[in-house]
Amino acid sequence: MDTQRFHNKVIIVTGGGSGLGEDYCHGFASEGGIVVCVDIDEAAAIRTATALRETGNRSIAVPCDVTRTHEVEQMVEEALHTYGRIDVLVNNAGVISRRSLVGTTDEDWNREIDTDLKGPFLCARAVVPHMMERGYGKIVNISSVAGIVGCISTAYAASKAGVNGLTRQWALELAPYGIRVNSVAPGYTATPINEKLRLTPAAKRIGETIPLGWGKPADITAAVLFLSANESDYITGQTLAVDGGLTTTVDMGPEYRTFDT
Ligand code: NDP
């Protein structure tokens, strides 16, 4: 396999200061990529970009709230001004609130939908004209198993299912311009976003229910890099669940797993 799949490619990763996004940044850089690390948490974005530069890679940190049009446009301008092009956009920044339907306030709904659904729209809208001009680009939207099956909460399910819809729509609309758009739907993966959940007994039960157990950031990164690289050029509009089998199986319990022969 080519070990420098992103040689001189410029990649924007939103939410790159923490968790999965941070892991993608390291993955892209380790294969020659130039990373624009975007995060609402400026210190976290700087930490990631600095770590990449310290290992000899090119990277800048850009503080940006992906829910704000003007900040997103400025972020894209800064990336273009610094590196002259954008090859890949990874729409990863996200938040999660584990609220029941009745317990979901207007504020919860707006925060989740604004970050997880409107954020990818604003970032793509700002980046795509440039990709169209070049006739090339890759967009990878980070969805969730919660956009495929019911397993988390109201606003999160709506935003992630929406992301899968955007992926299909953009794949159609942008194919004539050489832009491929896909989603990765991670399953339960240990990152700061689920720190609280991992301290409860539910964490063990979840691990036992998923055929391959909890995932590691590297599992998700492998898929994100694949869908960002040239090798996946004939794939567009797909949502790839990287979930250890969670969305393709139903666990009926150990008794059901015995066989006649
Ligand atoms: P983290 O909380 O570790 O990372 C998310 C990053 O995004 C944080 O640095 C966060 O900053 C930043 N962020 C939040 N809001 C904004 C915003 N408005 N603008 C810019 N940056 C923002 O979570 P994960 O790495 O786990 O999650 C990354 C993505 O993966 C999310 O979209 C999530 O929904 C998805 N996902 C994760 C799964 C998992 O099991 N970990 C499973 C399925 C999907 P701050 O910390 O300040 O909020």
Side-chain angles (χ1 to χ4, degrees):
M1 191 178 72
D2 181 5
T3 56
Q4 288 288 302
R5 288 178 293 178
F6 302 101
H7 179 66
N8 273 339
K9 296 221 169 186
V10 179
I11 301 116
I12 292 179
V13 178
T14 69
S18 167
L20 296 178
E22 183 180 359
D23 204 69
Y24 314 146
C25 289
H26 284 275
F28 282 119
S30 73
E31 296 199 40
I34 300 167
V35 175
V36 178
C37 179
V38 173
D39 208 291
I40 196 169
D41 180 343
E42 182 171 12
I46 291 174
R47 222 173 19 246
T48 302
T50 304
L52 298 187
R53 284 200 300 273
E54 281 171 358
T55 47
N57 300 289
R58 292 167 73 194
S59 179
I60 52 166
V62 184
C64 166
D65 178 345
V66 298
T67 70
R68 294 176 185 267
T69 304
H70 186 59
E71 289 189 31
V72 168
E73 287 169 355
Q74 276 189 330
M75 174 274 285
V76 170
E77 262 173 43
E78 188 170 340
L80 286 171
H81 176 75
T82 310
Y83 296 123
R85 66 186 185 283
I86 296 160
D87 297 286
V88 179
L89 166 66
V90 182
N91 275 318
N92 166 79
V95 292
I96 186 167
S97 62
R98 293 178 51 76
R99 301 240 195 260
S100 67
L101 162 60
V102 176
T104 301
T105 64
D106 290 12
E107 289 72 27
D108 294 329
W109 173 266
N110 291 340
R111 176 172 175 260
E112 191 100 47
I113 298 291
D114 279 358
T115 312
D116 293 7
L117 184 58
K118 187 177 169 196
F121 156 63
L122 292 180
C123 291
R125 191 178 64 179
V127 165
V128 157
H130 159 75
M131 288 179 169
M132 283 169 131
E133 220 171 87
R134 290 181 66 218
Y136 178 84
K138 294 259 187 178
I139 299 176
V140 180
N141 295 319
I142 306 303
S143 175
S144 166
V145 289
I148 303 170
V149 296
C151 62
I152 309 261
S153 63
T154 292
Y156 194 66
S159 63
K160 294 303 188 179
V163 162
N164 299 343
L166 291 181
T167 298
R168 291 186 287 265
Q169 176 59 33
W170 295 346
L172 172 71
E173 219 176 297
L174 302 177
Y177 303 94
I179 303 169
R180 280 78 169 172
V181 188
N182 292 286
S183 294
V184 170
Y188 286 81
T189 314
T191 71
I193 215 171
N194 47 42
E195 210 159 14
K196 234 167 82 189
L197 173 68
R198 280 184 287 119
L199 295 173
T200 70
K204 187 164 172 283
R205 175 80 192 105
I206 289 167
E208 288 164 357
T209 306
I210 302 167
L212 297 178
W214 278 74
K216 303 180 297 301
D219 299 323
I220 315 304
T221 297
V224 170
L225 267 58
F226 169 67
L227 291 172
S228 302
N230 294 341
E231 65 196 311
S232 61
D233 270 358
Y234 196 54
I235 301 175
T236 196
Q238 294 294 329
T239 294
L240 175 60
V242 184
D243 64 356
L246 186 155
T247 52
T248 47
T249 55
V250 180
D251 187 354
M252 309 277 195
E255 299 80 12
Y256 196 79
R257 277 187 243 121
T258 59
F259 298 97
D260 294 338
T261 53

